[in-house]
Amino acid sequence: MRTLVAYFTWSGNTKEIAERIARKTHGKLFRIEREIPYSTDYNTCASDTVIFT
Ligand SMILES: Cc1cc2nc3c(=O)[nH]c(=O)nc-3n(C[C@H](O)[C@H](O)[C@H](O)COP(=O)(O)O)c2cc1C
């Protein structure tokens, strides 16, 4: 049985953890991406949440 580690990351923190989990489980990494990426500016990103969720 293979493990799929699907993750979403904005700043890279979750990517780091997902990579560690994938290494430990010999899982396959799959990055979930938004069709319209969040802004790299924190405040803009946080206010976008209200609009896009
Ligand atoms: C849409 C969105 C909304 C967020 N809102 C908050 C928030 O309200 N408070 C906070 O501390 N961090 C917020 N963050 C930042 C995340 O906590 C931060 O990115 C965290 O490191 C999650 O890991 P990632 O960067 O790999 O996605 C938000 C990030 C995104 C993408």
Side-chain angles (χ1 to χ4, degrees):
M1 189 175 72
R2 292 209 59 198
T3 302
L4 175 67
V5 183
Y7 68 97
F8 174 82
T9 189
W10 175 64
S11 71
N13 289 328
T14 305
K15 177 175 184 277
E16 175 97 20
I17 301 302
E19 286 171 349
R20 287 188 207 177
I21 293 169
R23 270 200 300 277
K24 289 261 182 203
T25 60
H26 304 286
K28 185 176 166 57
L29 271 175
F30 179 82
R31 182 174 183 165
I32 299 164
E33 295 187 58
R34 292 191 85 215
E35 197 168 338
I36 304 166
Y38 285 117
S39 169
T40 52
D41 173 71
Y42 177 79
N43 289 326
T44 309
C45 173
S47 61
D48 277 356
T49 312
V50 177
I51 299 166
F52 293 122
T53 55

